[in-house]
Amino acid sequence: MSESHGDEQPSAPQAHATLIQETGVPSTEEALRKRHTARARSAADRTRAACRCAGVETDPGAVIAVPTEAAAKAANALRLSADALVAMAEGAPDPAADARQARNAAAASVLAARTARDRGADALSEAAYQAALKASQAAGTAAGREGLGRNEALNAEAEAAEAAAVAAARAAGWV
């Protein structure tokens, strides 16, 4: 309490939170969540597009615990990318957890890209698969111990790799 006025003064974090609420400026965690979510959505979109191009439908019956067939692996990739988006929508923003979910979506897209590449078997499909792999690796680095979803340089690299993966998927005719 302030002795001169008798009213309680907010702590610095409380004052910052109040300022954010009053000005509409998102917190750092909210801003990071938006970035990680955008990357996860993009990877999930690439997963769906690669599966569609490979002729793999989103049949929930095709999702199995240990897939061995290409179609089952692709169906699992669809489920994994959807699960990542659902997990990001729940709870308060957490940059480390959000980055892990974006990494999961990017990793799932590699499974679908492999299936589409194997069905397409041309240079553009190979390039799209390689770009998906690089996007997954960059997302993993951004989510890893060094970045924990907060490192600006690692997040920017992951975003650039995701944009390159989208461009390569488009060039392959997947998107």
Side-chain angles (χ1 to χ4, degrees):
M1 287 191 148
S2 172
E3 291 185 18
S4 62
H5 299 326
D7 48 356
E8 190 175 317
Q9 298 294 317
S11 68
Q14 289 171 328
H16 181 69
T18 301
L19 178 63
I20 289 170
Q21 289 172 350
E22 290 174 359
T23 62
V25 176
S27 69
T28 301
E29 287 78 15
E30 290 167 335
L32 286 169
R33 173 167 272 181
K34 285 181 182 179
R35 291 176 73 181
H36 296 311
T37 300
R39 243 183 20 256
R41 284 187 199 286
S42 178
D45 290 345
R46 284 189 300 107
T47 299
R48 282 188 297 280
C51 286
R52 188 173 40 252
C53 182
V56 176
E57 297 299 321
T58 59
D59 177 14
V63 176
I64 58 174
V66 183
T68 56
E69 300 292 322
K73 288 179 181 181
N76 277 15
L78 289 166
R79 181 189 54 81
L80 291 171
S81 62
D83 288 352
L85 292 173
V86 168
M88 292 178 87
E90 297 173 347
D94 178 348
D98 294 340
R100 286 191 303 272
Q101 295 302 334
R103 174 207 59 205
N104 293 348
S109 75
V110 174
L111 295 171
R114 182 181 302 146
T115 302
R117 176 203 63 187
D118 292 349
R119 302 254 171 109
D122 63 15
L124 292 176
S125 292
E126 178 63 28
Y129 168 72
Q130 291 298 325
L133 190 57
K134 288 178 183 173
S136 177
Q137 291 167 337
T141 300
R145 186 181 316 173
E146 185 180 330
L148 293 174
R150 293 180 175 274
N151 183 294
E152 177 60 34
L154 296 177
N155 287 335
E157 287 175 24
E159 290 162 357
E162 179 59 33
V166 169
R170 247 188 216 116
W174 298 354
V175 176

